[in-house]
Amino acid sequence: MRKYGLAIAVVLMALNDSLAQFGRRTPEQDSIFARLQRQTRADHQNMMAQLGIKALRPGVSGNPQDANAANRDENKVNSYTLPDPLVLKNGKKIKTPQDWWQKRRPEIVEDFEKEIYGRLPPHIPTVQWKVVSSKDTVIANLPIKEKILRGVVDNSSFPSIKVEIELLVATPRPTTKPVPIVLEFGFIQSPFGNTPPVMPIGLGSAGEPTWKEQLIARGWGYAIIVPSSIQADNGAGLTEGIIGLVNQGKPRKPEDWGALRAWSWGASRALDYFETDQDIDAKRVAIEGLSRYGKATVVAMAFEPRFSLAFIGSSGAGGVKILRRVFGEQVENLASSGEYHWFCGNFIKYAGPLTPSDLPVDAHELVALCAPRPVFISSGSPQVEGQWVDAKGMFLGGVYASPVYRLFGKKGLGTTQFPSLGTPLVEGDIAYRQHAGGHSTGPNWSTWIAWACRYWGECKYF
Ligand code: GCU
């Protein structure tokens, strides 16, 4: 099952880089895996007990042959009513950007923090960035400066938990002026061990230059932050990482932050570093990621105003896909023991006793929190990527966020008509493109770069 590919790679990666040969785990690695699963289930149970929940509705299956297969038929989509992003809880419609900032946006932020992604703790320890190595090298014959950094988190309050954020930064050489940079939630080492993967995650389609090459050729830089170095990608790890450090090794409370917010907090710390690096123009930093990292991308963009642009890859449910829409992955899947750690504990309630239509907000309002900054929503094709991510549900996340962009005099998505495969909707400040490839941002990079240079300048032909 293709949809499990990245998930398995990410889980293995979180365990240990060397575990990564599919199907070739040693008995010792198997026992680590089993232990993590046990701890994850126990933590999930602990949160359900805190919430007074006895049972949850099961998720749908990604396998079309299964009796409980996820809906993949547009004609069977439910009808639903979404909260209006421009209407205050008291029923009054807001009409000015000022009212958005002062009245409506804080209401939406509160709902997302309390019910879905969790709150940042009031006192998060500081991060000190250290350059581990710096070298002049090339990528596809293009000269770059490549730095490896570690963001060392102050753990004096609880020394048994150590957190060091891994970051790679590459900028074109020679640097004559600070350059824009794209920060990816990703991997510095291949999750596939030492074997070069046939089609690495996030790289271009066959024959195209990789995203790194395309950015460097444009005169821009790229950076990669490793989410698992901030917070593990499983429930077992919630008593460790930055979340565990702040909680002094104790389990979370229902409103505490989940992994998506922790990863995006780490991205903000990388931005702090960029502000000190003279090779980088910290006013032109984009954030990018795929799948669960696509979810982290929109969360980072929504909560961190210093990001200039976003490239949100196949974020699906928990990202920009409308959660109330019965198509592909559902809230019940996100609330299960395999994925609940991405969110705050409270979110589990919406898989029992509450339902997704009880959510006070939906994904279009997460996109709206990014306004008026430009966002690009990316998806693969139904044939190759599958229907789990719900390409149309992500498009609708952009459609229904558009009124907020229009409040700012921006264009938003500019249409409510779902485009045919490959059609770039790039005229507005919410852009959308469903490429013809699989679960990757790869085939959308050239479109993204052409769109980004409208904002960042330097659209020269090269
Ligand atoms: C699973 C999960 C998705 C997630 C994806 C990923 O498919 O259901 O929500 O985006 O894994 O690989 O990140």
Side-chain angles (χ1 to χ4, degrees):
M1 280 298 303
R2 143 165 239 117
K3 84 165 187 72
Y4 295 120
L6 177 62
I8 293 169
V10 172
V11 169
L12 291 177
M13 185 66 186
L15 285 173
N16 180 333
D17 291 344
S18 68
L19 292 190
Q21 293 296 337
F22 289 153
R24 295 219 202 118
R25 284 192 278 147
T26 63
E28 195 195 343
Q29 291 165 344
D30 272 338
S31 88
I32 297 175
F33 197 71
R35 177 176 56 76
L36 286 181
Q37 278 192 318
R38 265 196 322 276
Q39 289 174 346
T40 292
R41 278 196 290 268
D43 184 83
H44 191 241
Q45 286 295 327
N46 172 299
M47 185 52 73
M48 284 173 61
Q50 288 190 55
L51 296 166
I53 296 175
K54 296 255 164 3
L56 296 175
R57 295 184 302 277
V60 291
S61 166
N63 181 349
Q65 315 308 330
D66 287 350
N68 64 337
N71 179 36
R72 292 143 45 100
D73 181 350
E74 205 49 54
N75 297 316
K76 294 198 180 133
V77 170
N78 57 326
S79 63
Y80 51 84
T81 311
L82 292 175
D84 187 328
L86 292 178
V87 174
L88 291 165
K89 288 198 189 267
N90 67 12
K92 290 210 179 91
K93 183 151 184 149
I94 60 152
K95 301 217 167 60
T96 63
Q98 196 192 18
D99 279 353
W100 169 255
W101 292 118
Q102 289 177 2
K103 298 186 179 152
R104 182 60 178 139
R105 195 177 189 281
E107 286 184 348
I108 296 174
V109 165
E110 169 63 14
D111 286 340
F112 274 113
E113 293 199 316
K114 179 157 184 253
E115 303 295 329
I116 302 189
Y117 299 107
R119 302 184 191 283
L120 294 192
H123 304 290
I124 309 178
T126 54
V127 176
Q128 205 188 351
W129 285 101
K130 297 198 166 120
V131 180
V132 176
S133 68
S134 175
K135 64 175 181 199
D136 287 351
T137 178
V138 292
I139 180 162
N141 293 327
L142 302 163
I144 58 168
K145 186 201 279 186
E146 184 188 278
K147 283 181 283 207
I148 303 282
L149 295 109
R150 291 276 180 282
V152 181
V153 181
D154 175 3
N155 65 346
S156 49
S157 62
F158 199 70
S160 63
I161 296 180
K162 195 171 132 187
V163 182
E164 289 196 3
I165 307 174
E166 295 168 30
L167 178 69
L168 176 148
V169 177
T171 44
R173 268 190 302 128
T175 326
T176 48
K177 55 181 174 26
V179 296
I181 196 163
V182 178
L183 174 62
E184 173 172 281
F185 286 109
F187 308 99
I188 293 178
Q189 276 181 314
S190 164
F192 298 86
N194 294 326
T195 319
V198 183
M199 172 73 181
I201 295 155
L203 299 195
S205 321
E208 287 176 2
T210 65
W211 68 285
K212 297 173 181 170
E213 291 161 19
Q214 292 187 53
L215 289 169
I216 297 293
R218 167 71 57 185
W220 298 347
Y222 62 85
I224 300 171
I225 189 163
V226 179
S228 61
S229 68
I230 304 163
Q231 184 60 43
D233 192 4
N234 51 55
L238 288 169
T239 48
E240 297 164 8
I242 188 64
I243 296 178
L245 174 58
V246 174
N247 281 344
Q248 310 222 320
K250 289 192 271 301
R252 296 184 302 168
K253 299 272 183 296
E255 292 185 16
D256 285 355
W257 49 343
L260 293 173
R261 274 220 90 180
W263 294 339
S264 66
W265 166 83
S268 292
R269 303 293 67 81
L271 243 176
D272 299 342
Y273 164 73
F274 296 157
E275 288 178 343
T276 69
D277 185 326
Q278 58 189 18
D279 295 335
I280 297 172
D281 176 0
K283 295 256 178 298
R284 291 184 292 172
V285 178
I287 180 83
E288 180 262 348
L290 174 75
S291 213
R292 67 199 61 192
Y293 298 162
K295 306 182 209 301
T297 297
V298 62
V299 171
M301 186 70 171
F303 287 99
E304 173 54 81
R306 291 175 296 165
F307 284 120
S308 147
L309 304 175
F311 183 1
I312 308 161
S314 297
S315 60
V320 306
K321 168 223 162 79
I322 298 293
L323 288 167
R324 283 168 170 76
R325 207 175 110 89
V326 177
F327 191 106
E329 184 168 23
Q330 296 296 296
V331 166
E332 288 78 3
N333 298 85
L334 300 174
S336 71
S337 64
E339 301 182 3
Y340 77 106
H341 62 279
W342 293 336
F343 307 94
C344 66
N346 266 340
F347 186 55
I348 297 178
K349 294 183 305 197
Y350 295 92
L354 301 176
T355 70
S357 56
D358 294 313
L359 282 164
V361 279
D362 211 314
H364 61 305
E365 289 163 298
L366 186 62
V367 179
L369 291 185
C370 306
R373 291 162 301 145
V375 296
F376 185 111
I377 298 171
S378 166
S379 158
S381 73
Q383 295 88 341
V384 192
E385 179 171 55
Q387 310 264 56
W388 189 244
V389 298
D390 187 7
K392 184 164 179 195
M394 294 191 282
F395 167 79
L396 292 173
V399 169
Y400 300 127
S402 295
V404 178
Y405 278 72
R406 287 200 293 271
L407 185 72
F408 284 92
K410 305 276 176 182
K411 192 170 166 201
L413 202 42
T415 180
T416 56
Q417 189 75 37
F418 188 52
S420 57
L421 191 69
T423 309
L425 298 179
V426 287
E427 297 306 312
D429 297 291
I430 301 175
Y432 178 88
R433 183 168 183 262
Q434 187 179 25
H435 64 67
H439 196 48
S440 167
T441 49
N444 265 346
W445 270 101
S446 54
T447 308
W448 186 85
I449 290 172
W451 171 81
C453 79
R454 265 204 344 245
Y455 299 100
W456 283 355
E458 305 175 35
C459 299
K460 65 181 190 300
Y461 180 78
F462 56 90

